Amino acid sequence: MSNPLFDFGMIGLGVMGRNFLLNMADHGFSVVGLDKDNQKALSLEKEATKGTIVKGVTNAGDFINALKKPRSIMMLVPAGKPVDAVIEEFLPLLDKGDILIDGGNSHYTDTVKRIRYLEEKGIHFMGMGVSGGEKGARFGPSIMPGGDQDAWRTVQPMLEAVSAKVNGSPCVAYLGKDAAGHYVKMVHNGIEYAIMQLISETYMLMHRGLGLNNDQLHGVFKKWNEGNLQSYLIEITRDIFMQQDDKTNNRLVDMILDEAGAKGTGMWTSQDAMSLHYPIPLIDIAVSMRDLSVYKEERTRAEGIYGNPYQNLPVDKEAFIAQLHDALYFAVINCYAQGLGMIQKGSAALGMDIPLSEVVRIWRGGCIIRSVLLDKFFVIYSKTKDMPNILLSEFVSKELQGNVRQIRAVIVASINAGYPVPGLSASLNYFDSYRRKHLPVNLLQAQRDYFGSHTYQRIDEPGIFHTEWKENNE
Ligand code: 6PG
């Protein structure tokens, strides 16, 4: 490999890395992949489409020398220390002007530090979210880059070629300064957590409350995926109910332990929202419910003490399923609203200039939270750039008002029968709080001032006030 031949290099040939690279080769780019695991490097070439230019190597020097200059290199390695280890290993081998892209789910604050660190050494470092799982990486992910604009312009044609397309428009866009790409990906995942929580609540209500079997659940989600809930997460849920377990005669979903895993991106979203003082209660509750699920042994003991709360929902089955559809639609709108509102707030706080219309546009295809709803949001944000919350738009207000009665009915019936619906409830409570001019925190302010002289503002004159509150004031 004495002549540098290759357009693009990938460090880390796990499933995501190799699929992304093979996708790139299918679009006519010559690619080289590096992995210390000989097997992974060798099999890359075997998996490549005939006629494409793909090389797998195990040696960092060979990798670097194979790439055209300035080099475009992406890494897809686990977030955290492995990213820093790759940077340190490659730094002596890189030349000024080379581009290094972190395509993993790194925390955006780490990305900011890495950008600054590498800037000093003349290396363009970009944080880039990639969504769509294994298949997305292979056949068209949604790609969320941010950072150095010159670096973006260099890799733009390649990323546009490999990304998912919606009506011919590539699901990739420059999302803003610094770690904008990783910030958007973090919130994407927070929304992902919230929608998954909501779908699982509807599953519980239909399965345990209405007694629907997996075939029937498949049928419901199939129908739901044909209307305004059409989305990737509804589509895969539909399919999951039909998957047979290969160890038993059961459906696989019934054999899976009810303890959720999490790699942390949902938690980061909640942590960051708390620091920003931006409310995203649907995402918060989704993170908490994953955490609660892990206490299986305690939950089992508690069920022994308090009894099995499951009982048939005393409702008309068909009518309830129709209400549930509308309730889910209502709640999903709120997930996006909270996430998008947070991106707007975070972007302003961190000076990232994230264009919301572009975020929504590139989420319409390839990513885990893609849905037909985002087509409507794209139109809204294209027209109104500075809307603080999509709940204030005409379209969303009509949709929420048209479905609020149904979500109330679902929540009341579920709570009366002892079914936990924390996501659906958080969505309705958020809505009922957000659309209310008066909240009861005047009392809370009085309490703060009472016990801690924390002061308050008045409704009738500007300024900061404190009162010496009378004790036992009867
Ligand atoms: C995506 C996914 C992807 C990954 C999640 C899973 O957009 O393709 O979000 O990034 O599947 O990180 O996250 P948890 O393991 O935390 O559920």
Side-chain angles (χ1 to χ4, degrees), residues 105 130-133 185 188-189 192-193 261-265 290 368:
N105 279 332
V130 178
S131 178
K185 179 60 176 32
H188 166 285
N189 281 26
E192 175 184 304
Y193 275 48
K263 295 204 186 70
T265 43
R290 284 200 192 190
I368 304 295

Side-chain angles (χ1 to χ4, degrees), residues 116 175-180 344-354:
R116 303 278 181 271
L175 293 184
K177 294 179 197 144
D178 280 343
Q344 193 153 356
K345 181 86 196 270
S347 171
L350 298 162
M352 292 183 290
D353 293 332
I354 299 174

